[in-house]
Amino acid sequence: MTHALADAATMIDRSVRLARRNVDTLFASVLMPLLMMALFVYVFGGAINTGTEYVNYVVPGILLLTTGYGAASTAMVVADDMNSGMIDRLRSLPIHSFAVLTGHVVASVARNTASTAIVVLASLAMGFRPHAGVLDWLATIGLLLLYVLALSWLAAGLGVIAKTVESASTLRFFMLFLPYLSSAFVRPESMPAWLRPISEHQPITPVIETVRSLPLGTPMGNNGWIALAWSCGLLLFSVTLATTLYRRRTAR
């Protein structure tokens, strides 16, 4: 266990250093959500009726989009390692197999934490007015961390099977598209009858509704438990998938 933790710490340090040097990715992971929030608040917000101030409604969706975008970029980083010869060099060393993916995932969580904090500060400047207590904020942060951890492991698994960095970029599109079919930007009631069940029963909607309810103090219903169950289930599935795919590919 000591050697495994030491290996993981080494790979985490490497991945964090790589993330700090990749200025383009860091800049895009912050700039895109900020532009999206400004677009929806200042351009579309006046035309969308959600029964409340639109900035309060849309910020949780932007936060989920931010974490999804940051986590999805992990697929490209892992794909680069898998196809550039880095993994082949590591196979000649006595290093635990899970350490490589763990390094990328932890770096993704750290990167997402910073970008999410910036988006929250920007949303406050745009008029977002939460009135949650300390426990509500802790619950919100905990759920977001669990969600981005699950997405990061899923992205790592996609990066393992990607043949090129470009194909990994294509795979992450599907991860970024799902929030647009949720309650992130409009209420499901306003959607066509055939699309509404998809919006209401997909895994991202309860996470968004929970993140929306906790800071604003609105009724949560069963969304909190559903969001927790989805996030934990996705995390378990993603870790199992990523580690299995990694071991199979590196065994060849």
Side-chain angles (χ1 to χ4, degrees):
M1 180 62 68
T2 302
H3 292 295
L5 293 176
D7 291 343
T10 300
M11 299 309 298
I12 290 171
D13 180 68
R14 169 183 177 268
S15 298
V16 170
R17 289 174 182 269
L18 289 175
R20 281 166 36 192
R21 293 171 183 172
N22 194 345
V23 180
D24 293 341
T25 301
L26 289 175
F27 186 70
S29 65
V30 175
L31 181 61
M32 192 195 79
L34 291 178
L35 292 177
M36 289 289 295
M37 185 162 59
L39 178 67
F40 276 93
V41 171
Y42 295 127
V43 179
F44 301 142
I48 301 177
N49 181 18
T50 59
T52 183
E53 289 290 333
Y54 189 66
V55 64
N56 290 335
Y57 184 88
V58 78
V59 165
I62 296 295
L63 291 179
L64 267 291
L65 193 67
T66 302
T67 57
Y69 183 87
S73 62
T74 306
M76 295 190 299
V77 182
V78 173
D80 183 60
D81 270 358
M82 299 298 299
N83 298 286
S84 65
M86 176 64 185
I87 301 301
D88 292 333
R89 290 191 291 271
L90 291 178
R91 290 171 64 186
S92 64
L93 300 174
I95 183 172
H96 287 262
S97 59
F98 84 98
V100 178
L101 297 182
T102 300
H104 287 301
V105 169
V106 172
S108 172
V109 173
R111 182 174 61 247
N112 274 280
T113 300
S115 60
T116 302
I118 294 174
V119 171
V120 170
L121 293 176
S123 68
L124 294 174
M126 293 182 184
F128 181 52
R129 294 295 178 265
H131 43 78
V134 175
L135 293 179
D136 292 330
W137 275 115
L138 290 177
T140 302
I141 294 171
L143 180 59
L144 286 174
L145 287 176
L146 179 62
Y147 176 77
V148 73
L149 184 63
L151 277 190
S152 297
W153 273 107
L154 179 61
L158 295 178
V160 170
I161 62 175
K163 299 300 182 182
T164 63
V165 176
E166 290 75 17
S167 63
S169 177
T170 303
L171 289 172
R172 73 173 186 166
F173 167 79
F174 298 98
M175 298 175 61
L176 297 175
F177 182 71
L178 201 56
Y180 293 98
L181 300 179
S182 68
S183 63
F185 304 108
V186 297
R187 291 190 178 280
E189 293 84 354
S190 66
M191 298 181 181
W194 61 270
L195 184 59
R196 181 176 174 180
I198 299 176
S199 175
E200 291 178 336
H201 300 294
Q202 64 147 304
I204 294 182
T205 292
V207 177
I208 290 176
E209 292 300 327
T210 303
V211 174
R212 183 175 288 135
S213 298
L214 287 171
L216 298 176
T218 56
M220 186 187 308
N222 294 325
N223 287 314
W225 295 110
I226 297 174
L228 186 62
W230 269 114
S231 298
C232 290
L234 180 61
L235 176 61
L236 179 62
F237 169 79
S238 300
V239 171
T240 304
L241 177 69
T243 53
T244 301
L245 292 175
Y246 181 84
R247 287 170 181 168
R248 287 183 178 179
R249 185 165 179 183
T250 55
R252 295 200 296 264

